[in-house]
Amino acid sequence: DTGVSQDPRHKITKRGQNVTFRCDPISEHNRLYWYRQTLGQGPEFLTYFQNEAQLEKSRLLSDRFSAERPKGSFSTLEIQRTEQGDSAMYLCASSFTGVGSPLHFGNGTRLTVT
Amino acid sequence: QKEVEQNSGPLSVPEGAIASLNCTYSDRGSQSFFWYRQYSGKSPELIMFIYSNGDKEDGRFTAQLNKASQYVSLLIRDSQPSDSATYLCAVAISGFQKLVFGTGTRLLVSP
């Protein structure tokens, strides 16, 4: 399977704990995106990388969130001091370079903060 | 005004009918438009994309774009119960290298 891979699929954590998610994009794609989706809403943009450079970060993104893509391949998204409001599906997607290139999503990581 | 707007539905159609899903967007400079299908608990799956005014057909799916009216639609012919899902409209907002999604329209196809 050469699609976008995310790990873990599910994560349950207690409020205040840190969590880290991993995303492996489609190997030919140099863009990698993180989105968040809550029930009844569309995916909400968090950040994106072109190769290893983080080019845009949502203004809605708290300082508790950080993302890296150290070698331009896989990416990690860390949430520090989790809050119940962080409970959501975290989606990773990848694409080729170019405005309007279709995004291909992974299966997502469902985070539940208790 | 939201950047991408969709009716949340649900839109109910009988099996074999044509389902028509609509989306409006606010940025007149947008150039690229996408439809994703999302089953409950799953991630979005790309169905179609369209860049030019007019229609684009792929099997039972037709995407229609009217840039003057800032309107994009998805038609599903011969709807099947397996088409029951949420359909997300996404727009590449001009100047930004990302897609902005609507809230999605839930489609229910009854046997």
Side-chain angles (χ1 to χ4, degrees), chain B residues 22-91:
Chain B
N22 305 314
C23 172
T24 58
Y25 58 94
S26 61
D27 183 5
R28 187 169 289 279
S30 298
Q31 298 292 325
S32 310
F33 307 86
F34 304 82
W35 284 100
Y36 285 81
R37 177 175 61 198
Q38 187 172 29
Y39 293 110
S40 180
K42 303 297 185 182
S43 64
E45 172 191 10
L46 179 68
I47 299 176
M48 292 191 68
F49 54 89
I50 185 168
Y51 301 144
S52 304
N53 270 334
D55 296 0
K56 178 181 178 182
E57 187 174 321
D58 184 1
R60 295 187 297 114
F61 299 96
T62 298
Q64 299 176 317
L65 175 60
N66 185 325
K67 289 186 178 180
S69 300
Q70 296 175 235
Y71 178 94
V72 59
S73 64
L74 179 69
L75 302 179
I76 307 175
R77 291 181 298 281
D78 188 24
S79 295
Q80 301 297 309
S82 58
D83 294 326
S84 298
T86 295
Y87 289 81
L88 296 162
C89 173
V91 177

